[in-house]
Amino acid sequence: MAKIGKEKNTKNKAKHTKLMDRKKNKTRSEKELRKERLKAIIKKSQENKSNL
């Protein structure tokens, strides 16, 4: 039999997906930031090598 009344656990599910999306976006942005920093370091070291 189907449950009558309010849906079960929809608020918690929505909250959880929101938090998980926030976490995924944070890790994604940190990963991109690391890549950019690494590229800058590599570029700087290559310029230093070419100057020597």
Side-chain angles (χ1 to χ4, degrees):
M1 288 186 12
K3 184 178 177 186
I4 300 171
K6 193 175 103 176
E7 296 88 12
K8 181 181 174 186
N9 218 8
T10 55
K11 286 186 180 181
N12 286 340
K13 286 182 183 179
K15 195 173 190 180
H16 181 258
T17 54
K18 181 180 175 184
L19 291 173
M20 291 306 292
D21 288 341
R22 192 184 298 173
K23 183 179 179 182
K24 285 179 189 176
N25 289 335
K26 183 180 178 184
T27 55
R28 189 179 298 131
S29 63
E30 286 176 353
K31 197 173 184 181
E32 288 177 6
L33 186 63
R34 279 193 205 109
K35 278 185 182 180
E36 289 175 12
R37 286 182 179 165
L38 187 61
K39 282 182 182 180
I41 292 169
I42 292 171
K43 189 175 182 181
K44 192 173 183 179
S45 68
Q46 286 175 348
E47 286 176 359
N48 286 340
K49 280 185 181 180
S50 66
N51 288 338
L52 293 176

